[in-house]
Amino acid sequence: MYRQVLDPVAGSLSWSALLASLPILALFTLLGLVRAKAWVAAAGGLAVALLVAIAAYEMPVDQALLTATQGGAFGLFPLAWTFTTAIWIYTMTVGTGHFDVLRRSFAQVSDDRRIQAIVIAFCFGSLLEALAGQGTPVAITSVMLLAVGFRPVLAASTALVANTVPAAFGPLGLPITTLAKVTGLPADDLGAMAGRQVPILAVAIPLLVVLIVDGRRGVREQWWPALACGLSFGFAQFATSNYLAVALADIVAALVSVGVVTLLVRRRPAIRHAAAPALVGRGGSVGGSVGGSVGDSAVDGLGIGGPAVDAAAPDSRADVLRAYAPYAAIVAIFTLSQWGPVTRALDSATATFGWPGLHLLTLAGKPSSLSTYKLNLLLAPGSLLFLAGLITMAVLRVSPAQAVRAYGRAVLQLRWAILTVTGLLALSFVMNASGQAATLGHWMSGAGGLFAVLSPILGWLGVALTGSDTSSNSLFGALQVSAAGQTGLDPTLLAAANASGGVVGKMISLQNLTISAGAVGLVGREGDLFRRMFGWSLVLLSGMCLIVGLQATPVLSWMTP
């Protein structure tokens, strides 16, 4: 049995916080400076976290190792199960030629890569985040961008940047309901407050997507559709979270924004992008970069068939419908799974149990929920994606033997990504269970009135570490409320800031970096993506800190509900 402590080093919170930061510093140093492979960085961070937990926090060796195994199990199910199944669906569409049909269909909406990036990565990705989360948006939109001709690095970078502002409310308001549960504050108030922070950043994200895709020229030429997308998304997210339902905020925002962009593009003459072919891989093939793409390797030799699409012939309406069918199935299945009777039926197969041999107590000496493992056999996103995969098999006429081979090759292609996510979640669980994460949070809360400016950093750190806004809220939500009581700040403001700050940590989360790199065939180059994303993450974090800081003062206090 182990009881968490806050200040194991000479009773000093500051020295203890310095020691507790070592696993995170090791992780980021190995990934960003040493340029180690992602699984090596995760393993190194885990080793440091275990050493700190056992040597400094005096966590029994067996409890530390059991906590790591629990985290690793969570990394395998539901996380690895989710993104591997998403890539499996993609490989089947590539093998039958329907992914090329999808690419040509998107080109009919607009052949401008910048508009395609907004529609696919931001709008459609936000819808996937609203319904599924857990890496699904990054995995799917990355490979969709490959289909329209993006290089793998650019596809992954664009998907990572776009998968930010939806994270506060997706999937289906879970981060906010979790925050309400751990803080005791009303979910409606928390959702309304986050809905007055995140939408401000949402205005800038499509512009940032265009900037990443085509630099300043892209912003000059396509600033209006990008700005209209951000404004419509932000307004819809604000209005829905404040006046309708938190769970619907991202769904409504995604649909409104894609409608606005489509309307604008069709009414406005397209600006030809002379440099567009440069986004296509070597030899003019989609994803033709160093290392190839998942589609190149995952379908090689599989003989995935059914009626292959004739690339030389015009796409028939039936081919276009079949190309969209897998993604329509994903949206329909995830939407249906949220209907009360269906949710209850699927949840009946869920098993909840204490992790064998793991006995943890909170700081207050009460039994900790951290030792509980929840096995969502049917309600997990990966399981719902698997059902969508079965529908894809039927629609694209892929035989069971071909589908099994496709899944096996997807697992083989993503083996290092799976290992990385497993190690990262083990690291996260050890830091959480031992008290290292709590030490860092309590140390930051000692900033007094300035904590309003710093509070989003806790959310950012939590998501960067766990890959999930929900997990970050569970980790630091109660601490934000406690700090508000000590500093005289508004508890709803600080708790919501945890969720809002977390969204900009998504793009540097090793979990998301690994999923996106694995999806586009860049396994081993997660460090390159990290270095591309880190600066933008800090810029957006600074903006969120400024917003929350001003909301704690008379300047923007009128924005608080």
Side-chain angles (χ1 to χ4, degrees):
M1 182 174 291
Y2 172 72
R3 179 175 177 176
Q4 289 182 338
V5 292
L6 282 179
D7 51 0
V9 181
S12 168
L13 190 60
S14 297
W15 284 110
S16 300
L18 180 62
L19 201 64
S21 67
L22 291 181
I24 300 173
L25 292 175
L27 178 70
F28 286 175
T29 299
L30 286 170
L31 190 64
L33 298 180
V34 180
R35 303 194 177 192
K37 293 183 177 180
W39 71 268
V40 174
L46 173 60
V48 176
L50 285 169
L51 182 62
V52 172
I54 295 169
Y57 283 75
E58 299 183 355
M59 190 178 193
V61 174
D62 65 322
Q63 296 297 288
L65 294 178
L66 284 170
T67 299
T69 60
Q70 183 192 16
F74 186 81
L76 290 173
F77 189 96
L79 295 181
W81 168 235
T82 297
F83 66 76
T84 303
T85 305
I87 298 305
W88 170 59
I89 294 173
Y90 160 69
T91 62
M92 289 191 289
T93 65
V94 170
T96 58
H98 286 88
F99 212 62
D100 284 334
V101 176
L102 187 70
R103 172 179 56 80
R104 291 190 289 270
S105 176
F106 272 115
Q108 290 179 3
V109 175
S110 174
D111 60 358
D112 191 304
R113 298 281 192 267
R114 299 159 296 188
I115 300 299
Q116 291 170 345
I118 293 173
V119 172
I120 296 171
F122 185 72
C123 300
F124 185 62
S126 295
L127 184 60
L128 291 176
E129 182 68 37
L131 296 170
Q134 295 194 348
T136 305
V138 169
I140 292 178
T141 59
S142 293
V143 294
M144 290 182 75
L145 290 172
L146 281 181
V148 297
F150 280 64
R151 291 182 183 273
V153 170
L154 187 57
S157 300
T158 304
L160 286 166
V161 169
N163 186 225
T164 47
V165 289
F169 300 101
L172 293 162
L174 183 59
I176 299 299
T177 55
T178 300
L179 188 61
K181 181 180 178 181
V182 300
T183 61
L185 298 172
D188 288 344
D189 291 350
L190 292 169
M193 188 67 250
R196 301 175 187 214
Q197 296 169 340
V198 177
I200 300 175
L201 281 189
V203 175
I205 297 301
L207 288 165
L208 181 55
V209 166
V210 171
L211 180 65
I212 287 175
V213 170
D214 192 35
R216 286 178 292 180
R217 177 179 59 177
V219 175
R220 274 197 318 270
E221 295 178 352
Q222 294 292 7
W223 67 270
W224 173 229
L227 181 61
C229 178
L231 285 170
S232 59
F233 184 96
F235 179 78
Q237 194 180 53
F238 157 74
T240 307
S241 61
N242 275 263
Y243 305 113
L244 185 57
V246 170
L248 299 177
D250 284 343
I251 296 176
V252 173
L255 295 177
V256 168
S257 59
V258 75
V260 168
V261 173
T262 302
L263 183 63
L264 281 178
V265 169
R266 290 189 173 181
R267 289 196 170 191
R268 182 170 177 255
I271 298 175
R272 295 298 174 186
H273 190 346
L279 299 175
V280 181
R282 281 201 309 261
S285 63
V286 175
S289 70
V290 178
S293 69
V294 170
D296 297 333
S297 59
V299 299
D300 181 35
L302 285 176
I304 290 179
V309 176
D310 183 0
D315 297 322
S316 67
R317 181 179 295 273
D319 283 335
V320 173
L321 290 176
R322 279 194 288 267
Y324 277 96
Y327 305 99
I330 290 171
V331 173
I333 288 170
F334 276 96
T335 301
L336 187 61
S337 71
Q338 303 305 317
W339 183 41
V342 176
T343 302
R344 289 189 290 272
L346 294 174
D347 198 41
S348 64
T350 298
T352 303
F353 54 90
W355 195 253
L358 186 60
H359 304 287
L360 301 174
L361 299 177
T362 65
L363 293 168
K366 298 179 180 180
S368 173
S369 61
L370 296 176
S371 58
T372 301
Y373 186 79
K374 192 173 184 179
L375 189 63
N376 288 322
L377 292 173
L378 298 180
L379 202 52
S383 302
L384 298 176
L385 282 171
F386 185 76
L387 178 57
L390 296 179
I391 295 174
T392 300
M393 288 172 55
V395 172
L396 303 187
R397 302 177 192 177
V398 176
S399 72
Q402 292 165 340
V404 169
R405 287 199 298 272
Y407 205 102
R409 290 297 296 271
V411 171
L412 182 64
Q413 176 73 21
L414 296 171
R415 63 191 183 279
W416 297 116
I418 294 170
L419 181 61
T420 300
V421 170
T422 301
L424 178 65
L425 268 294
L427 160 66
S428 173
F429 272 55
V430 169
M431 287 193 67
N432 197 7
S434 65
Q436 295 174 55
T439 297
L440 288 170
H442 279 80
W443 174 72
M444 289 181 63
S445 69
L450 288 176
F451 185 68
V453 179
L454 301 178
S455 60
I457 298 177
L458 274 183
W460 175 81
L461 182 62
V463 174
L465 187 60
T466 66
S468 164
D469 210 40
T470 300
S471 298
S472 176
N473 289 344
S474 178
L475 191 61
F476 291 128
L479 173 62
Q480 297 273 14
V481 173
S482 175
Q486 297 172 15
T487 58
L489 296 168
D490 183 352
T492 301
L493 172 66
L494 296 194
N498 198 83
S500 301
V503 303
V504 296
K506 269 273 193 178
M507 65 177 72
I508 61 166
S509 159
L510 188 53
Q511 174 187 314
N512 260 17
L513 290 169
T514 301
I515 292 171
S516 61
V520 299
L522 293 175
V523 175
R525 294 183 59 186
E526 295 85 358
D528 292 340
L529 292 176
F530 176 79
R531 286 186 291 276
R532 282 172 172 261
M533 296 294 101
F534 190 71
W536 290 119
S537 182
L538 289 182
V539 169
L540 294 173
L541 176 63
S542 299
M544 183 56 68
C545 288
L546 179 62
I547 292 168
V548 175
L550 291 176
Q551 287 176 336
T553 70
V555 177
L556 292 182
S557 60
W558 54 270
M559 294 183 66
T560 59

